[in-house]
Amino acid sequence: MKWTNKGHELDELGAKYARVRNLYIWGACDDGKRCFDTLVWLNISSGFNITFVDSSLLKRQDLCCGRAVISPEEMLIALELGEERGNSVVVICSATYRKEMLSAFEYGENQENVFEWTYTSHAQKNNFIAHFLSIFMLYKYGILFWLQMNFISTYKCNLNCRSCLNFCDYIANKEAKDVTFEEFKQHIDDVFSKVDFIYSFHIAGGEPFLNKDLPMYLDYVANHYRSRIRKFFVVTNSTITPPPRLLQALKKADCFVQLDDYSETVPLCAERLPIIKRLLDEHQIGYSVETVPWWYDLQFETTDNYSFDSRQLEEYRDSCNTLMHMYQYGRIYSCCFEIATANARLIEIDEMTDAFIEIAESSKIEFLEYSLGFTNKGYTDFCKRCRGLGANAVKIPVAEQVPKRKLPRR
Ligand code: SF4
Ligand code: SF4
């Protein structure tokens, strides 16, 4: 999406959402409770009439989080009779019977007041946090609530996966470096000088457990910003056993660990994963074990979209549907993969003149618009060389190990 009215792109939606009074959380389940707890954490739950909705086809409870639980039929009657739809929002937190129920009541998924809770749909227009809560918070309270932030802590990795999206396989070992604590501190201070709350903040790499400064990162977050971050976690390839100092810092920062499970292709992962899980259990540190069915290959060496005009590139970028920003050098880059290629010196950072906004120079509303996909051009130059994550996406096996290679630098 190209900025045509910077600073005012969301005014209409913002005014509409600021009037919302009734919130229906569809799913008296764990996700429904997470949704409710997030509203409590943001200190805005008392501003809504919150009602849980659960399918009449299941055995229902009368109360959830101290709020009434009604059936979908009762919710729809309330929406039709008692209230204006414009003042009500439905957040779908349970997949059970969702499609059947929505279509049975002709309550389409594309309506502006029906949202999904699931974090995995973060780039979709119906994501509750990105496309309702963040807009609501800014227009109602002047508070900037950001969906997610990813910080690359190191360019070193002990693995060498085919089509690594951090492009580690293009970084010569002697050039791969850690991001120092001082650099991290500068960065996170910059971000929190503007952003009030972040839903999800994760530290990635390379392999973060290789960075000796990681415990200092975690201590700094714990001491200064932890109360402004809802979900805080580190992503690891599950091949390195965390030392005691790191375990201590993870615990103190209430930071959970995402253990990517590459056991099928990486024997070291199969060996270490149970050991790491045991250690985390012993120290009462939360973790999740993640497996995915495939990865994406951006195929930037062979993709050629240079014949696209600017309108086609904008459509291409929009269909890619990724809102994966990257925060670096006091800037926010609109596509994390583009800046990752620059970090691997596959393109020159100086070439990326229109790929970012400066944190210090941007207003909160510009931040919000940018987070939802607005940019100066509507695309980034790397889109001309990238298969993206949309209809054109190429899927490959997960964590397939390949020999390290080198490319001629641009
Ligand atoms: S584990 Fe694989 S995908 Fe992850 S950073 Fe290392 S090389 Fe890249
Ligand atoms: S097409 Fe590629 S460069 Fe463009 S936004 Fe998508 S992932 Fe980023």
Side-chain angles (χ1 to χ4, degrees):
M1 292 180 290
K2 186 174 174 176
W3 257 320
T4 55
N5 192 11
K6 193 186 272 190
H8 298 282
E9 299 284 0
L10 302 166
D11 284 0
E12 202 178 316
L13 263 188
K16 178 180 166 182
Y17 289 166
R19 290 195 297 272
V20 167
R21 296 283 303 139
N22 308 304
L23 204 57
Y24 293 95
I25 301 179
W26 189 325
C29 55
D30 287 347
D31 271 347
K33 289 172 190 163
R34 275 185 206 108
C35 177
F36 182 84
D37 288 345
T38 299
L39 301 172
V40 172
W41 174 70
L42 287 168
N43 201 22
I44 56 171
S45 60
S46 59
F48 293 112
N49 304 314
I50 298 176
T51 309
F52 280 83
V53 181
D54 215 347
S55 168
S56 56
L57 300 173
L58 299 173
K59 187 176 181 299
R60 283 213 326 270
Q61 49 194 313
D62 293 330
L63 285 177
C64 183
C65 302
R67 307 298 170 118
V69 181
I70 63 173
S71 69
E73 294 89 340
E74 289 167 319
M75 175 192 75
L76 288 163
I77 290 168
L79 286 171
E80 296 299 341
L81 298 180
E83 309 142 348
E84 295 171 54
R85 283 195 175 196
N87 289 344
S88 304
V89 153
V90 181
V91 195
I92 298 169
C93 299
S94 167
T96 313
Y97 300 114
R98 177 173 59 82
K99 284 211 166 86
E100 291 82 348
M101 282 299 186
L102 286 173
S103 64
F105 292 99
E106 297 176 344
Y107 209 78
E109 291 179 68
N110 294 324
Q111 297 198 27
E112 281 180 350
N113 51 357
V114 179
F115 295 92
E116 296 261 4
W117 168 254
T118 52
Y119 177 67
T120 46
S121 69
H122 73 275
Q124 291 169 12
K125 285 273 185 301
N126 60 0
N127 180 276
F128 179 62
I129 298 172
H131 291 276
F132 175 75
L133 265 188
S134 63
I135 298 172
F136 173 85
M137 291 293 288
L138 194 56
Y139 278 84
K140 179 92 176 180
Y141 299 115
I143 289 173
L144 184 56
F145 177 42
W146 195 275
L147 175 68
Q148 65 163 0
M149 183 166 84
N150 168 30
F151 187 82
I152 298 296
S153 57
T154 180
Y155 299 94
K156 295 176 184 167
C157 192
N158 56 328
L159 299 185
N160 198 51
C161 304
R162 180 180 158 210
S163 299
C164 164
L165 290 179
N166 293 310
F167 303 95
C168 288
D169 49 341
Y170 291 97
I171 304 175
N173 281 329
K174 61 180 171 26
E175 292 178 358
K177 61 182 178 67
D178 294 330
V179 178
T180 66
F181 168 67
E182 285 306 321
E183 290 168 317
F184 172 76
K185 178 177 176 301
Q186 176 69 53
H187 166 81
I188 197 160
D189 287 347
D190 281 347
V191 169
F192 277 106
S193 70
K194 194 78 52 152
V195 176
D196 296 294
F197 296 98
I198 293 176
Y199 181 73
S200 173
F201 172 29
H202 69 274
I203 296 173
E207 171 45 50
F209 284 6
L210 290 173
N211 187 339
K212 299 280 187 296
D213 281 0
L214 183 59
M216 291 164 70
Y217 285 27
L218 300 174
D219 286 350
Y220 191 71
V221 171
N223 292 335
H224 296 87
Y225 298 116
R226 187 62 187 89
S227 63
R228 292 162 69 180
I229 303 165
R230 181 79 179 139
K231 280 176 62 176
F232 181 39
F233 61 104
V234 178
V235 182
T236 173
N237 63 25
S238 312
T239 59
I240 295 175
T241 310
R245 170 73 178 96
L246 178 54
L247 289 165
Q248 179 199 42
L250 286 165
K251 174 82 179 154
K252 178 181 168 191
D254 187 20
C255 179
F256 80 92
V257 181
Q258 179 179 311
L259 297 164
D260 285 344
D261 184 356
Y262 304 148
S263 299
E264 286 198 9
T265 48
V266 181
L268 184 61
C269 182
E271 178 195 321
R272 294 277 168 83
L273 188 57
I275 298 169
I276 299 171
K277 282 165 63 179
R278 183 173 46 74
L279 267 176
L280 296 175
D281 279 334
E282 282 171 9
H283 288 79
Q284 295 179 309
I285 295 164
Y287 62 85
S288 63
V289 179
E290 301 290 330
T291 52
V292 290
W294 63 74
W295 278 0
Y296 293 107
D297 184 348
L298 300 183
Q299 298 202 330
F300 72 96
E301 292 173 68
T302 52
T303 303
D304 182 354
N305 297 331
Y306 282 87
S307 61
F308 288 10
D309 62 25
S310 56
R311 183 66 219 158
Q312 287 171 307
L313 282 165
E314 191 181 342
E315 284 170 7
Y316 189 73
R317 197 253 183 267
D318 289 346
S319 76
C320 177
N321 205 25
T322 175
L323 294 179
M324 299 294 281
H325 297 89
M326 179 82 93
Y327 302 73
Q328 201 168 295
Y329 315 122
R331 298 166 172 170
I332 309 173
Y333 288 83
S334 74
C335 177
C336 64
F337 306 122
E338 183 176 37
I339 183 66
T341 54
N343 288 328
R345 295 179 58 194
L346 296 165
I347 57 175
E348 290 303 324
I349 202 105
D350 294 344
E351 292 173 20
M352 301 171 59
T353 50
D354 218 8
F356 56 84
I357 57 170
E358 301 279 359
I359 292 174
E361 292 167 15
S362 304
S363 67
K364 285 190 177 188
I365 185 68
E366 285 167 5
F367 247 69
L368 179 64
E369 290 171 354
Y370 197 74
S371 79
L372 297 180
F374 288 96
T375 63
N376 285 330
K377 289 199 301 193
Y379 61 91
T380 75
D381 286 336
F382 193 60
C383 296
K384 296 172 188 169
R385 299 170 54 185
C386 175
R387 292 287 293 227
L389 311 182
N392 257 1
V394 176
K395 294 172 182 172
I396 58 167
V398 173
E400 190 183 340
Q401 297 305 292
V402 294
K404 204 145 185 101
R405 58 181 167 175
K406 284 187 183 176
L407 276 187
R409 298 279 155 69
R410 293 198 162 214

